[in-house]
Amino acid sequence: MAKQTWKPGNSLYPLPAVMVSCRGKDGKDNIITIGWTGTICSDPAMTYVSIRKERYSYDLIKESGEFVINLTTKALARATDYCGVKSGRDVDKFKEMNLTKEEASVINAPMIGESPVNIECRVTEVKPLGSHDMFMAEVVAVHADEKYMDEKGKFSLIDADPIAYCHGTYYTLGERLGTFGYSVKKKESKAANRKVNKRSAK
């Protein structure tokens, strides 16, 4: 199998495409679309966003030390793209995209009402890295839309039709292949069946 060797670059795809909402000290709200984001730690729950210094939201988040990660869906795809290419210096993105502004419960920042999950974050460290600075943050609250809860109270994000970003293109998620640990469970199940069959044969 032939493979090309490329110079070092960001080739870790697909990525979550999230809308990060924030509020400046002057009370002005903004949304920035972020692809450089993810989980840092489970306990305590920590996440990060990496932002270029020239982006409008960079100073807002650095000054306030707070932001909200809003997960995106197929229905929010256009707004997700718009908030990534338009600057909050020029437009009110909440207004232009008809997004519902909701107040966070712990931090002083807006949430996007149409998002199925809103993650309130408080910055713990800003790490300069080069083209981007990484804002490491503690998760202080999570809000999940009740319409994606089943009768047992289990939340199903897949029902919200989440989207991902891959090499400049937005995609919905595809076919379900299995749940966490399914590869082992299949083997365990076969082994258990063999034991049962042996006992039955006796």
Side-chain angles (χ1 to χ4, degrees):
M1 182 183 294
K3 291 186 178 180
Q4 296 181 4
T5 300
W6 298 343
K7 67 179 182 180
N10 294 314
S11 300
L12 185 61
Y13 288 100
L15 297 165
V18 302
M19 290 192 285
V20 173
S21 49
C22 52
R23 174 170 293 151
K25 286 188 174 181
D26 60 357
K28 187 174 180 180
D29 297 329
N30 192 46
I31 304 169
I32 179 174
T33 298
I34 295 287
W36 300 165
T37 185
T39 298
I40 296 176
C41 183
S42 299
D43 186 16
M46 293 190 68
T47 185
Y48 80 94
V49 292
S50 289
I51 309 174
R52 291 181 182 272
K53 291 182 178 68
E54 59 267 26
R55 298 299 295 269
Y56 178 64
S57 291
Y58 177 93
D59 287 331
L60 272 62
I61 293 175
K62 193 165 187 180
E63 291 173 0
S64 69
E66 298 175 332
F67 61 89
V68 179
I69 293 176
N70 304 274
L71 301 192
T72 54
T73 64
K74 183 178 180 181
L76 288 169
R78 183 172 181 273
T80 302
D81 185 65
Y82 183 91
C83 292
V85 297
K86 287 290 187 178
S87 174
R89 295 184 181 94
D90 306 319
V91 296
D92 180 339
K93 299 180 190 180
F94 276 98
K95 181 179 179 182
E96 293 298 321
M97 289 292 99
N98 296 311
L99 296 172
T100 305
K101 189 182 297 187
E102 297 179 350
E103 288 299 315
S105 61
V106 177
I107 66 172
N108 181 25
M111 305 190 303
I112 299 173
E114 289 76 11
S115 173
V117 176
N118 315 95
I119 306 168
E120 296 187 42
C121 305
R122 182 168 287 141
V123 176
T124 59
E125 182 181 347
V126 181
K127 192 172 185 64
L129 296 173
S131 63
H132 294 64
D133 282 2
M134 175 188 281
F135 291 81
M136 293 186 279
E138 178 186 3
V139 175
V140 295
V142 177
H143 306 266
D145 194 326
E146 291 183 346
K147 69 181 176 182
Y148 301 114
M149 301 280 189
D150 64 19
E151 63 279 359
K152 295 181 180 179
K154 184 179 179 181
F155 183 74
S156 178
L157 180 61
I158 199 66
D159 292 338
D161 214 354
I163 60 175
Y165 182 76
C166 187
H167 293 285
T169 304
Y170 304 97
Y171 294 92
T172 55
L173 302 188
E175 177 187 359
R176 173 177 164 172
L177 302 177
T179 57
F180 178 76
Y182 81 101
S183 59
V184 177
K185 289 179 181 178
K186 281 185 176 180
K187 293 176 182 177
E188 289 177 345
S189 178
K190 288 180 180 178
N193 288 335
R194 283 196 295 269
K195 288 181 180 179
V196 170
N197 291 336
K198 286 182 180 179
R199 286 198 295 269
S200 299
K202 293 177 180 178

